[in-house]
Amino acid sequence: MGQLLATAIARVKKRPLKNTILVLPITSLSDYAHLGPWIDHVTRRTSDRLLIILSSPLFQPKAGINPIQSWIPMERLISFVYMRASSVAIAANRILMQIDVVLYSGKDTITSGLEKEKTFAWDRVFAPTIAEEYFPRWIPNIHRSLLRDSNGATAPNNTATSGWEGSQPRHAVVALGGTFDHLHVGHKILLSMAAWITERKIIVGITDDSLLTKKSNREVLESIDLRMGSVRRFLELFRPDIEYEVVPISDVYGPTGSDPDIQALVVSKETLSGSQSIAKLRHERGLPALETYVIEVISSDGTEGLVGEQDAEKLRTAKMSSSYIRQWIVEQSRK
């Protein structure tokens, strides 16, 4: 009887939780490999939605790190977290599992969108620390589990900040574009980095339905309204303090072909050629040149490895592709 009870308890403990939060203290943009096992563990325990909060004074406006100067290490950190969680979710065949990574400075500023999450049906909060400064104020109301590393130690607490004085911290208006079908972690990396360097306004061009007639498995392609809504909701979570202009586009240019206020353009390696076309058109029209930022991790076919990640082969299994997701949906419908 005792053995049966122990087995039943073990099964309950292993049963996935539906919606979880993982709070990770960030002390450096270059030292984060130790976060991997925690991300793996919590992702395995989650079935539907995982919200990962990267918490650090480094993200404080003005007092924290300079967003433009920290573009490369910040992209690597956010990509690492997304790819690590996505790899585990893919391996568990949880292709549609929602994974969101947000920043928290301890001041309820950059990610004050977290306040709207307090009414969501969260099952548990995981964290390697109990220090209250790392948590949004409503999180203590949720059951918490303390994470420890293999040596039994919790996360360090020695974060230093640098400040923005004497340098350009952000661009006033930043633009990017894409299809954004079945919003996945690759899209979220792109949107996060664009929002990270935006001061006032972000413009997102969403490819109109009329240009997507040749897409594979078009019957499960999301409508323009659904895709625009998904992009807006994510940005409201990641950076609720800026203005969003999410618009349909019917060519590669969109607002970048006419808006003189745009200062920067964020693209993936696959869309870099489009940025060159945009630069040519703006020059011909006498518009200011754009600073171009390239996201290295996003791949159209899911074969790109993660910048700075040693285990590239493992990351190739995390297919950040809308076409892959559509194919998976079609295959599931046939079962």
Side-chain angles (χ1 to χ4, degrees):
M1 182 68 178
Q3 182 60 40
L4 289 174
L5 179 59
T7 301
I9 293 174
R11 287 176 178 172
V12 169
K13 287 183 177 180
K14 293 180 180 179
R15 185 179 302 160
L17 299 165
K18 192 171 183 180
N19 305 305
T20 65
I21 297 174
L22 171 59
V23 179
L24 294 173
I26 302 298
T27 59
S28 167
L29 294 190
S30 60
D31 180 19
Y32 47 78
H34 62 283
L35 304 178
W38 291 327
I39 297 170
D40 294 349
H41 171 74
V42 178
T43 306
R44 290 191 188 101
R45 295 293 310 276
T46 307
S47 65
D48 289 17
R49 186 183 180 197
L50 170 60
L51 174 63
I52 302 177
I53 301 174
L54 304 182
S55 182
S56 175
L58 291 171
F59 308 139
Q60 291 179 8
K62 308 304 180 184
I65 54 177
N66 182 298
I68 290 178
Q69 291 182 352
S70 64
W71 168 271
I72 292 177
M74 194 65 180
E75 180 204 350
R76 291 177 176 176
L77 170 62
I78 290 179
S79 297
F80 171 83
V81 176
Y82 265 122
M83 289 293 290
R84 191 86 185 210
S86 179
S87 297
V88 174
I90 291 286
N93 200 35
R94 297 170 189 163
I95 309 302
L96 300 182
M97 177 175 163
Q98 181 180 342
I99 301 170
D100 294 309
V101 178
V102 297
L103 309 179
Y104 179 70
S105 68
K107 301 294 184 181
D108 289 320
T109 50
I110 287 182
T111 52
S112 57
L114 284 171
E115 190 68 19
K116 297 180 181 178
E117 296 294 330
K118 66 182 179 181
T119 58
F120 192 76
W122 299 110
D123 295 309
R124 189 170 303 180
V125 175
F126 295 86
T129 179
I130 59 173
E132 294 298 327
E133 64 265 26
Y134 289 112
F135 298 88
R137 56 179 176 268
W138 51 267
I139 278 188
N141 298 324
I142 306 171
H143 178 68
R144 278 197 248 178
S145 291
L146 182 65
L147 299 170
R148 295 183 178 274
D149 64 19
S150 57
N151 297 318
T154 55
N157 184 14
N158 57 352
T159 306
T161 59
S162 57
W164 296 3
E165 293 183 7
S167 59
Q168 181 185 7
R170 286 194 163 107
H171 297 288
V173 182
V174 176
L176 68 156
T179 303
F180 297 101
D181 180 44
H182 294 283
L183 197 71
H184 56 67
V185 299
H187 296 140
K188 291 175 181 180
I189 293 169
L190 189 71
L191 291 166
S192 298
M193 290 307 300
W196 171 245
I197 61 169
T198 299
E199 177 66 32
R200 176 174 62 84
K201 179 180 180 181
I202 186 168
I203 300 174
V204 186
I206 312 292
T207 308
D208 194 82
D209 291 339
S210 61
L211 299 181
L212 304 176
T213 57
K214 296 183 179 180
K215 286 285 187 180
S216 61
N217 298 304
R218 191 178 182 280
E219 67 274 18
V220 293
L221 182 76
E222 292 180 323
S223 69
I224 183 68
D225 290 335
L226 282 176
R227 290 182 281 124
M228 290 174 62
S230 295
V231 166
R232 180 173 290 278
R233 282 190 297 274
F234 177 76
L235 289 173
E236 288 173 349
L237 173 64
F238 191 84
R239 280 291 305 276
D241 58 321
I242 58 178
E243 179 184 351
Y244 321 109
E245 184 178 326
V246 183
V247 297
I249 56 174
S250 55
D251 55 40
V252 69
Y253 308 108
T256 62
S258 58
D259 192 334
D261 293 332
I262 300 174
Q263 297 179 347
L265 180 67
V266 176
V267 299
S268 66
K269 288 193 297 183
E270 287 70 30
T271 60
L272 186 57
S273 60
S275 71
Q276 295 166 354
S277 299
I278 291 170
K280 181 181 178 183
L281 181 65
R282 289 181 68 89
H283 177 73
E284 292 172 351
R285 294 180 174 179
L287 297 171
L290 302 180
E291 188 77 24
T292 300
Y293 295 82
V294 182
I295 299 291
E296 298 289 339
V297 72
I298 301 173
S299 171
S300 59
D301 60 5
T303 59
E304 286 294 327
L306 173 65
V307 177
E309 171 59 52
Q310 299 298 317
D311 192 2
E313 188 62 33
K314 176 183 177 182
L315 292 176
R316 289 190 181 96
T317 65
K319 298 177 174 62
M320 294 188 300
S321 164
S322 296
S323 60
Y324 174 83
I325 294 173
R326 290 196 302 273
Q327 181 62 35
W328 183 87
I329 292 172
V330 169
E331 291 174 355
Q332 295 303 303
S333 67
R334 294 170 179 168
K335 292 182 178 179

